[in-house]
Amino acid sequence: MIDTIWQEFLSIVAQEAGTHVVHTWLNAVTLKQWDALENVIYLQAPNTFVCEWIKANYLPLFHTHLCRLLNVDSLRVHFTNQEATELVPTNKQIIPAVSLNKTSQTGPAQPIDVVPSVRKAATIRQKNFLNKNYSFQNFVVGPSNQLAYAAAVAVSEKPGKLYNPLFIYGGSGLGKTHLLHAIGNEIQVAHKRVEVLYVTADHFVNEFINAIRFDKVTQFKERYYALDILLIDDVQFISNKEQTQEAFFHIFNALYQAHKQIVFSSDSDPANINGLAERLRSRFEWGLVSDIQMPALETKVAILKRKAELAQQQIEDEVLYYIASRVISNIRELEGALIRITAYAQLVNLPITLELAKKLFQRHREVKEAVLDFQTVVNCLSRKYRYTLTDLRSQHRNKEISHVRQLAMYLMKKLTNKSLQEIGHYLARKDHTTVMHAIQRIQRDIATDTAFGLQVQEIEQELLNE
Ligand code: ADP
Ligand code: MG
C-alpha cells in the first residue's frame, strides 16, 4: 500500500513540478519504510549529491503531498545515502534503486547526471515504455469518454488505417495517458514485432535537446523513423519550442506517409494550444480529434469499483458512492481518495465503513477550510491587482484581467477544498472546464516564468498567513 502512495506522490509531483523532477531526481530515490507511529518516512538516495539536492529543493513537496496522502498532519523525512550505508568500493558505479524502470507512465527514464552507468543502460535497452496496467479492460467506459475510447480501440485494431493521427484531449487525470498505453499494449500483444513507442512530449523535448548537445540529431530522428506506432503524451509541452517542433514535423511526415499510426494526447484541442506552428496544428487535426470529459457519478462509482477490485479490496457500495460524490475534479483524485481510505483503514486496523470515510474526509476539509475561503483569495488579489470581485465575475477578457481571474481560480483550487464546479460558479463561469484550463495555464506560466512563479509563491504565503 505504501508503494501505491509513493507512486501516487510521484505522479502528483510530475504534474506539479514537472516530469523532469521525477525523472531526474525522485526516481533515483527508494522508499524504504514508513513508520506510522512516529510519522517518519525513510528514503534512500543513491549518493550524497542526489540526497542533498532533493533536500534543498523538493522537501516542501514531500510535506505537502505525502502528509495529505498519508493522512497525517506532520511528517519527518529521513534520508539515507546508499553510498555511505553500503560502503561500496570507490571504483564501483552505483546504480540508483530499482525505481528507474517504473517510469512508464511519464516516459523513458532520464539519466541522472551523477550516475553515468544509468545513461548507458537507458539507451542500450530498446523499450516501448508501456505500462501494462493501463489496458482497455481496465478502462471504465461512460458517456464522458466513450468516443475517445471507441476511437482508441479502433486505432488499436487497424493501426494507421482509420484515424491518423488520433488526437485525444481533456483535463488532467481523466484517462488520456491510460488510453495511450492501452492502444500500445493492445497492438504490442497482437503484433510482437511491431515497434511501438510511448513518450511524453516533455521527454521528447529533452531528448531532442540532448541530441543537439551531443551532435546526435540524425540518430535521434532515425530512431523515430523506425517506429510503427508513436504515442505522444501531453503534446502541448512542445509549444513554444520551435526547433523541436521543426524536428517533430519531419518525423510526423515520415511516419504519416508510411501509414504508421500516431496518437497524441493534450490538455486542450489543437486550436487552443498556444505557441504551436500552424503546420503542426493543422496536422494534429488531420485525423480524428476527440475529447474526454469528467465522468458523471455512476461512471465514477464504476471506476472506483474497478480500482478496488484490482487492489483486491472489498468496499461497500455506499462508501464508493460517498467517495465518488465528494471527489470531483478528476479521476486521479478519485483514485487518490480510494488509496487514502484503504491505507488509513489498514493503518488504524479498522474495516472501511461509511463512518470511517466520512471521518477521513471531514478531517481534510477542516484542515483546509480552516485556512481559507474564496473571499479571502479575492480580497488578497484585489489588494495586489486592483480588480474587484465584480471585475473577476465579469465577462471582460482583456489580457490582464483574464490572467488575474485565472490566478484566482488556481489559488482557489490549490488552497481551498472546493471543486472546480464550485469555483466556476463563484466566479460566474458557465462550466468547470474554464477553471480547469485556467489552472493549467497558471501552472504552465509558473513553470516557464520564474518571476511570475515567485509572485504566486508570495501571494500564497500571504494568504496562508492570514
Ligand atoms: P490523464 O493522462 O488524462 O491526466 P490518466 O490517464 O493518467 O489521466 O488517468 C489518471 C488515473 O485515472 C489513472 O490511474 C487511470 O488509470 C485512471 N483512469 C482514468 N480514466 C479511467 C477510466 N475511465 N477507467 C479506469 N481508470 C481510469
Ligand atoms: Mg496524462
Side-chain angles (χ1 to χ4, degrees), residues 329-397:
S329 60
N330 71 46
I331 297 168
R332 192 174 290 118
E333 282 180 21
L334 199 64
E335 275 193 291
L338 185 70
I339 291 173
R340 209 152 64 221
I341 284 188
T342 32
Y344 183 63
Q346 262 180 19
L347 220 62
V348 294
N349 206 8
L350 284 172
I352 303 173
T353 57
L354 186 59
E355 204 186 331
L356 187 94
K358 280 187 174 161
K359 206 169 115 203
L360 193 69
F361 276 94
Q362 202 57 45
R363 191 158 154 215
H364 277 282
R365 169 151 309 167
E366 276 160 15
V367 173
K368 281 196 172 169
E369 284 190 356
V371 181
L372 274 187
D373 60 23
F374 287 162
Q375 191 61 46
T376 324
V377 176
V378 172
N379 289 348
C380 177
L381 289 178
S382 302
R383 285 198 302 272
K384 286 239 175 291
Y385 300 100
R386 307 190 181 286
Y387 291 114
T388 62
L389 178 58
T390 316
D391 295 329
L392 296 182
R393 282 182 172 159
S394 72
Q395 296 302 319
H396 293 307
R397 285 175 182 279

Side-chain angles (χ1 to χ4, degrees), residues 171-174 294 326-331 333 374 409-410 412-414 416-440:
S172 145
L174 296 184
M294 184 62 198
R326 228 116 280 264
V327 180
I328 310 193
S329 60
N330 71 46
I331 297 168
E333 282 180 21
F374 287 162
M409 295 177 185
Y410 169 86
M412 286 170 177
K413 181 67 199 148
K414 186 157 182 198
T416 75
N417 202 17
K418 298 289 203 272
S419 67
L420 296 176
Q421 270 91 346
E422 286 168 305
I423 296 171
H425 185 72
Y426 184 77
L427 290 173
R429 301 295 116 181
K430 275 203 209 74
D431 70 328
H432 71 282
T433 50
T434 319
V435 184
M436 215 151 68
H437 288 135
I439 295 169
Q440 282 158 3

